[in-house]
Amino acid sequence: MIREKTLKTLEYPAVIDRLAGFASTETGRVLCLSLIPQASYESSARALAETDDAVNRLLKYGDLPFSGINPISPSVRRAAAGAILECSDFFRLVAFLRAVERMVHEVPDGEPEEDLLIHRKIRKLVPLPGFRRRLEQSIKDDEDLFDQASESLYRIRVKLREAQAAVRRELDKVLARQGDALQESIITLRGGRYVVPVRSDRRAAVRGIVHDSSSSGNTLFVEPMAVVELNNKIRELEAAERDEILEILKELSAIVSNQAETFYDNSKLLAELDFLMAKAKLAGQMDGSRPLLNDQGVIWLRKARHPLILRDRVVPIDFELGRTFRTLVITGPNTGGKTVSLKTCGLLTLMAMAGLFIPAEAGSQIGWFRAVEADIGDEQSIEQSLSTFSSHMKEIIRITDRAAPGMLVLLDELGAGTDPSEGAALAMAILDYLNASGYHTGATTHYRELKGYAMTEPDVENACCEFDTTTLQPTYKLLIGVPGVSNAFAISSRLGLSPAIIDGARALISEEGAHFEDLVSAIEQSHKEARAMEEEIERLRDETGRARETLDREREKLEKERLRILDEARAKAGLLLDQAREEVDRLLEEMRSARERDRDSDHRLTSEARGRLGAIGKKFQLRRQEGGLGTARPVGPEDIILGDAYETVSLGVSGLVRELPDAKNQVVLESGSFRVKVPLHELIKKPGKSVRGKGKPVVPAEKSSTLRSEIVMRAGTELILLGKRVDEAMSMIDHFLDEAVMAGLSPVRIVHGKGTGALRKAAQEALSRDRRVRTFRAGGDGEGGDGVTVVDLNLS
């Protein structure tokens, strides 16, 4: 489909070499190096989808583990042919099997419906954990087996080590007895048998078999007669060991032979996975994007970069072909970027057809072509007596002979190397022929005649490589729709050529030609200004988009924070409600269990429950106010006005302030006939009309506060029991403590008198059993002495 020469001309092999550099395995590298543009549109589209899938895998989960994967196919083929593999073969196989199992675990659990194609490939791998464990238990390294590879091998090696130890013991005796006859006091091996080095002049001192001598002849390596049988035993055991090892390797080789297809399939899948991940890594290194592939021959590149030019040096270009025209004529000065533009178009087309991402802006389009031809560079040959013109013409003849729709042709310096007038005429005729044949053609030229040709012919468009006449440097930007200007006079003038010479040259140009150049120059300038305006609009659009994204992120952040605060508030409210329910349920259960007891006990527990419910209510009231759910506001000393209505935070009592804050920052709050000193920080004042003067207390708006206020008004801090019977007094004490707890009053006094002490004793016994009572004591001096009991209540 595409000639090797075209691939080399467009530098496709260099891209493939870079791709192969990202492969982690030898088999994956082979696949990379064999990658060529696909033979059908469907194949190219499928290859691009696979690359996109690998890129998504790399970005979301990272690279795949390819360590331990070595070429195993040669070993498997030998095993399948009946050969016995060596330890080194199995050492590679066990590493391969571990790699397969690692790869299988790379598929995340619970992957969403859009299952990655690369993960579907991984799921096709067949691990062999049983055989892998067998190899790990048998293969010690690439030269030896473990003793536990078989029971027989284990027994043989135990006996072998015992025989070797016996030989050493016997030889140690020889070393001790005949040390003066030895060259050195060492034990060594010769021909697989244990020997000692004996001096040649003392040969008779050590009876035995001579197996070797030193190069000087001064040392003889003698096997003493005492160890001959032991050495024979060792040789027999070594032979048995070799036979057993051979049997084990034969057994393992047979397993490999039986699983040959599994090994082949796994090896192929791992190579494909490595190949796909290499394509993904190349895309990342080039900052590439997936091109939109089409089969209509449309090429529409935005900010395309030549992949082999360094990022800090390459100038991105916009390139178009096949949308509104099929032939593009590129003009401009030498070294201005015309050839690089042609190569960029051709190379990116080949990459997309091979299933690779391209270094261009997302949304760029590439057409799939039946064939790609390129005639770029000087192919003159002295050996074949071909001039530059002849070599180019030979290529063009070959291309035109294959003329058919669905081909991309790239021609550099079309018509060059001969008489300008004839070259220009020939170039226009070639472009006419290619255009009529349905080719998509990109051509570069210096001929002015081709600029006019592109302006007048249908389906043909001009383009030029921009040149900055101020700096006398090309900008390497490709301008579609604008014919190029030679700028020869401007460049010569800036370089210092005599004005007289330049004026003489201008006079030699026809008026029509000069007018044409001026017109082209004006078009190019207008195009530059329009392009600058487009770039400014694009910059502003990008800034607006970034600002919108920032606002969206901030809005999303605030919404998340709002939902978080609401969730926390609901969670806290739910927790408080659960605590209250548990407390009430516990009290109800205690009350039910007390029904079988006497009436007084039942009444006491019921009263205690009321007190604890009051404490719960107080706790929840505090939580409500601390959470800022009420509408009341705290007050300071400057806010206190005599006669105004306030409420205490802890007691939930509403009343009128009758005294301003004292030195301890406490005020006197009056609610009905009840007066209490309250710290200033406990007061809150709700919005509403102030109430001054004496009279009835302010009625709170909330129902719970109203109930609490009524309890406080009814409650007192002292209970008089004088003249009461014990059973009557017990009921009064229970009711008194109930209201005191609900009102949050503590301490309180119970006046029972001295008398016989029976009333005092009964009262104090009841108090000692009551959970509402924290402590109690007899009254002190000035408090009534033994006739009074002072009670400290548990209000928490």
Side-chain angles (χ1 to χ4, degrees), residues 558-571:
L558 290 173
E559 179 63 15
K560 287 181 179 178
E561 183 67 14
R562 184 183 73 83
L563 293 175
R564 185 188 64 79
I565 293 172
L566 285 175
D567 289 342
E568 286 184 0
R570 292 190 188 101

Side-chain angles (χ1 to χ4, degrees), residues 221-450:
F221 295 95
V222 178
E223 179 184 6
M225 295 304 296
V227 298
V228 170
E229 285 302 319
L230 289 174
N231 269 331
N232 290 340
K233 182 65 174 176
I234 289 174
R235 297 300 293 271
E236 291 173 5
L237 290 171
E238 287 175 343
E241 179 189 29
R242 284 193 298 272
D243 292 341
E244 180 60 23
I245 289 174
L246 189 62
E247 286 299 318
I248 294 171
L249 294 179
K250 187 184 296 183
E251 176 194 349
L252 296 177
S253 298
I255 297 175
V256 174
S257 177
N258 293 335
Q259 297 289 347
E261 288 304 317
T262 300
F263 277 107
Y264 288 142
D265 292 343
N266 284 345
S267 180
K268 180 182 177 183
L269 284 168
L270 289 175
E272 291 173 358
L273 290 170
D274 188 22
F275 168 62
L276 290 175
M277 295 308 294
K279 292 202 293 181
K281 293 170 193 174
L282 177 65
Q285 188 264 341
M286 294 189 309
D287 192 20
S289 65
R290 179 180 180 176
L292 303 177
L293 195 68
N294 65 82
D295 56 359
Q296 288 83 42
V298 174
I299 299 176
W300 191 67
L301 300 174
R302 287 294 173 265
K303 293 183 171 56
R305 294 171 279 108
H306 195 288
L308 302 178
I309 301 178
L310 296 177
R311 287 287 299 273
D312 58 349
R313 296 185 59 187
V314 67
V315 177
I317 65 168
D318 294 343
F319 194 97
E320 182 180 341
L321 185 65
R323 290 209 307 171
T324 58
F325 52 87
R326 287 206 314 273
T327 301
L328 184 66
V329 178
I330 306 174
T331 53
N334 287 329
T335 69
K338 300 189 303 298
T339 303
V340 172
S341 295
L342 272 190
K343 282 190 171 184
T344 300
C345 168
L347 181 55
L348 268 54
T349 298
L350 295 178
M351 290 173 62
M353 291 171 62
L356 299 175
F357 278 18
I358 62 172
E361 198 173 74
S364 294
Q365 300 179 38
I366 291 286
W368 182 88
F369 294 94
R370 185 173 58 83
V372 177
E373 295 286 352
D375 178 32
I376 299 174
D378 191 351
E379 294 290 332
Q380 65 177 325
S381 171
I382 296 176
E383 185 177 330
Q384 297 181 17
S385 301
L386 292 176
S387 65
T388 298
F389 176 78
S390 297
S391 64
H392 282 303
M393 193 52 57
K394 211 176 171 187
E395 279 296 308
I396 291 172
I397 291 169
R398 194 191 55 77
I399 292 171
T400 54
D401 284 346
R402 300 179 60 197
M407 291 180 63
L408 174 65
V409 177
L410 304 173
L411 303 173
D412 191 27
E413 299 295 347
L414 181 60
T418 187
D419 178 76
S421 59
E422 291 183 1
L426 195 56
M428 288 186 283
I430 291 170
L431 292 178
D432 275 339
Y433 181 82
L434 295 176
N435 195 24
S437 300
Y439 278 47
H440 288 68
T441 308
T444 67
T445 184
H446 284 286
Y447 294 139
R448 185 176 64 187
E449 290 84 351
L450 265 66

Side-chain angles (χ1 to χ4, degrees), residues 765-793:
E765 284 179 357
L767 292 173
S768 67
R769 297 190 302 269
D770 201 312
R771 295 182 183 179
R772 294 166 294 183
V773 177
R774 181 182 292 133
T775 60
F776 63 87
R777 61 179 173 80
D781 294 336
E783 291 181 320
D786 291 340
V788 174
T789 295
V790 180
V791 182
D792 187 14
L793 296 176

